[in-house]
Amino acid sequence: MLRYPLIHPPLLGALARAGHGSVVLLADGNYPYATAVSPTAETVWLNLRPGQIPVDDVLETLLGVVPIEAARVMATESGEEPDIYARFRELLPEIPLEPLGRADFYGTARGPELAVAVASGEQRLYANILLTLGVVT
């Protein structure tokens, strides 16, 4: 029995296999997992139904498990910031959010550094974040 918030065995295993510099994708229910995730990444399905589990709940849980050194988000075409960015900043106060255009975001998620993709039931638009893992000190 584990004594911290993350108890999901496949997600724990996937994170344990990732290392410094590995990338973790937390994505919303609209994300194209079949075409915009590296084929070598492990996909963890948390999308039980629309609205559950929200991306920020997943992020908050991961912060107690792995160190994060960088965060990239999917920028909107209009340049307006989605409301979810404020929550990301609240959870990651020391880490600036680097916006990437849709094609660059998908390209990064298809890249060899992506170790884990977490599919959520999040319904808020642009609730996608790429987290670069840091080192345990």
mmCIF file of all heavy atoms in Angstrom, residues 31 36 74-75 77 100-110:
data_model
loop_
_atom_site.group_PDB
_atom_site.id
_atom_site.type_symbol
_atom_site.label_atom_id
_atom_site.label_comp_id
_atom_site.label_asym_id
_atom_site.label_seq_id
_atom_site.Cartn_x
_atom_site.Cartn_y
_atom_site.Cartn_z
ATOM 1 N N TYR A 31 -7.356 15.553 -27.380
ATOM 2 C CA TYR A 31 -6.022 15.335 -27.924
ATOM 3 C C TYR A 31 -5.994 14.115 -28.839
ATOM 4 O O TYR A 31 -6.563 13.077 -28.517
ATOM 5 C CB TYR A 31 -5.007 15.162 -26.784
ATOM 6 C CG TYR A 31 -3.593 15.290 -27.262
ATOM 7 C CD1 TYR A 31 -3.005 16.542 -27.377
ATOM 8 C CD2 TYR A 31 -2.850 14.176 -27.634
ATOM 9 C CE1 TYR A 31 -1.697 16.675 -27.845
ATOM 10 C CE2 TYR A 31 -1.555 14.301 -28.095
ATOM 11 C CZ TYR A 31 -0.988 15.558 -28.202
ATOM 12 O OH TYR A 31 0.291 15.675 -28.678
ATOM 13 N N ALA A 36 -0.580 11.874 -32.462
ATOM 14 C CA ALA A 36 0.311 12.920 -31.954
ATOM 15 C C ALA A 36 0.980 12.525 -30.637
ATOM 16 O O ALA A 36 1.133 13.336 -29.733
ATOM 17 C CB ALA A 36 -0.440 14.233 -31.803
ATOM 18 N N MET A 74 0.240 24.313 -25.252
ATOM 19 C CA MET A 74 -0.205 24.534 -26.619
ATOM 20 C C MET A 74 -0.832 25.921 -26.715
ATOM 21 O O MET A 74 -1.825 26.210 -26.053
ATOM 22 C CB MET A 74 -1.218 23.475 -27.037
ATOM 23 C CG MET A 74 -1.636 23.576 -28.491
ATOM 24 S SD MET A 74 -2.911 22.377 -28.973
ATOM 25 C CE MET A 74 -1.999 20.848 -28.869
ATOM 26 N N ALA A 75 -0.231 26.785 -27.526
ATOM 27 C CA ALA A 75 -0.741 28.140 -27.718
ATOM 28 C C ALA A 75 -1.975 28.122 -28.600
ATOM 29 O O ALA A 75 -2.107 27.280 -29.498
ATOM 30 C CB ALA A 75 0.338 29.013 -28.346
ATOM 31 N N GLU A 77 -4.437 29.742 -31.528
ATOM 32 C CA GLU A 77 -4.174 30.428 -32.795
ATOM 33 C C GLU A 77 -4.377 31.928 -32.672
ATOM 34 O O GLU A 77 -3.715 32.709 -33.343
ATOM 35 C CB GLU A 77 -5.044 29.847 -33.899
ATOM 36 C CG GLU A 77 -4.644 28.430 -34.263
ATOM 37 C CD GLU A 77 -5.516 27.817 -35.340
ATOM 38 O OE1 GLU A 77 -6.165 28.557 -36.097
ATOM 39 O OE2 GLU A 77 -5.537 26.579 -35.414
ATOM 40 N N LEU A 100 3.894 26.792 -27.294
ATOM 41 C CA LEU A 100 4.273 26.252 -28.600
ATOM 42 C C LEU A 100 3.037 26.278 -29.494
ATOM 43 O O LEU A 100 1.938 25.972 -29.039
ATOM 44 C CB LEU A 100 4.747 24.798 -28.477
ATOM 45 C CG LEU A 100 5.981 24.496 -27.641
ATOM 46 C CD1 LEU A 100 6.219 22.987 -27.583
ATOM 47 C CD2 LEU A 100 7.198 25.198 -28.204
ATOM 48 N N GLY A 101 3.235 26.575 -30.758
ATOM 49 C CA GLY A 101 2.133 26.456 -31.708
ATOM 50 C C GLY A 101 1.690 25.005 -31.802
ATOM 51 O O GLY A 101 2.426 24.094 -31.417
ATOM 52 N N ARG A 102 0.493 24.793 -32.308
ATOM 53 C CA ARG A 102 -0.079 23.442 -32.370
ATOM 54 C C ARG A 102 0.867 22.449 -33.063
ATOM 55 O O ARG A 102 1.132 21.371 -32.546
ATOM 56 C CB ARG A 102 -1.425 23.469 -33.089
ATOM 57 C CG ARG A 102 -2.100 22.109 -33.181
ATOM 58 C CD ARG A 102 -3.397 22.160 -33.998
ATOM 59 N NE ARG A 102 -4.289 23.202 -33.565
ATOM 60 C CZ ARG A 102 -5.246 23.064 -32.645
ATOM 61 N NH1 ARG A 102 -5.407 21.907 -32.058
ATOM 62 N NH2 ARG A 102 -6.029 24.068 -32.318
ATOM 63 N N ALA A 103 1.391 22.814 -34.217
ATOM 64 C CA ALA A 103 2.263 21.889 -34.952
ATOM 65 C C ALA A 103 3.534 21.579 -34.166
ATOM 66 O O ALA A 103 3.973 20.422 -34.123
ATOM 67 C CB ALA A 103 2.611 22.464 -36.318
ATOM 68 N N ASP A 104 4.123 22.577 -33.532
ATOM 69 C CA ASP A 104 5.333 22.355 -32.732
ATOM 70 C C ASP A 104 5.022 21.519 -31.490
ATOM 71 O O ASP A 104 5.830 20.673 -31.092
ATOM 72 C CB ASP A 104 5.971 23.680 -32.325
ATOM 73 C CG ASP A 104 6.612 24.394 -33.500
ATOM 74 O OD1 ASP A 104 6.970 23.728 -34.494
ATOM 75 O OD2 ASP A 104 6.759 25.619 -33.431
ATOM 76 N N PHE A 105 3.877 21.765 -30.879
ATOM 77 C CA PHE A 105 3.482 20.984 -29.710
ATOM 78 C C PHE A 105 3.329 19.514 -30.098
ATOM 79 O O PHE A 105 3.900 18.628 -29.465
ATOM 80 C CB PHE A 105 2.177 21.521 -29.128
ATOM 81 C CG PHE A 105 1.823 20.950 -27.786
ATOM 82 C CD1 PHE A 105 2.176 21.611 -26.622
ATOM 83 C CD2 PHE A 105 1.130 19.747 -27.679
ATOM 84 C CE1 PHE A 105 1.856 21.088 -25.373
ATOM 85 C CE2 PHE A 105 0.805 19.217 -26.445
ATOM 86 C CZ PHE A 105 1.161 19.891 -25.280
ATOM 87 N N TYR A 106 2.587 19.266 -31.179
ATOM 88 C CA TYR A 106 2.411 17.888 -31.646
ATOM 89 C C TYR A 106 3.746 17.266 -32.049
ATOM 90 O O TYR A 106 4.008 16.099 -31.774
ATOM 91 C CB TYR A 106 1.439 17.825 -32.820
ATOM 92 C CG TYR A 106 -0.019 18.064 -32.488
ATOM 93 C CD1 TYR A 106 -0.916 18.413 -33.485
ATOM 94 C CD2 TYR A 106 -0.515 17.926 -31.194
ATOM 95 C CE1 TYR A 106 -2.257 18.631 -33.203
ATOM 96 C CE2 TYR A 106 -1.851 18.150 -30.910
ATOM 97 C CZ TYR A 106 -2.717 18.502 -31.918
ATOM 98 O OH TYR A 106 -4.044 18.698 -31.630
ATOM 99 N N GLY A 107 4.600 18.050 -32.692
ATOM 100 C CA GLY A 107 5.906 17.542 -33.097
ATOM 101 C C GLY A 107 6.743 17.127 -31.900
ATOM 102 O O GLY A 107 7.411 16.081 -31.925
ATOM 103 N N THR A 108 6.710 17.911 -30.848
ATOM 104 C CA THR A 108 7.441 17.570 -29.627
ATOM 105 C C THR A 108 6.867 16.312 -28.996
ATOM 106 O O THR A 108 7.608 15.429 -28.551
ATOM 107 C CB THR A 108 7.397 18.750 -28.634
ATOM 108 O OG1 THR A 108 7.971 19.907 -29.258
ATOM 109 C CG2 THR A 108 8.155 18.427 -27.366
ATOM 110 N N ALA A 109 5.539 16.216 -28.971
ATOM 111 C CA ALA A 109 4.892 15.041 -28.382
ATOM 112 C C ALA A 109 5.162 13.767 -29.194
ATOM 113 O O ALA A 109 5.105 12.669 -28.644
ATOM 114 C CB ALA A 109 3.390 15.273 -28.253
ATOM 115 N N ARG A 110 5.446 13.916 -30.468
ATOM 116 C CA ARG A 110 5.786 12.750 -31.300
ATOM 117 C C ARG A 110 7.268 12.377 -31.181
ATOM 118 O O ARG A 110 7.694 11.356 -31.709
ATOM 119 C CB ARG A 110 5.489 13.057 -32.774
ATOM 120 C CG ARG A 110 4.031 13.099 -33.119
ATOM 121 C CD ARG A 110 3.850 13.319 -34.627
ATOM 122 N NE ARG A 110 2.474 13.568 -34.958
ATOM 123 C CZ ARG A 110 1.980 14.757 -35.315
ATOM 124 N NH1 ARG A 110 2.771 15.811 -35.424
ATOM 125 N NH2 ARG A 110 0.707 14.893 -35.596
#
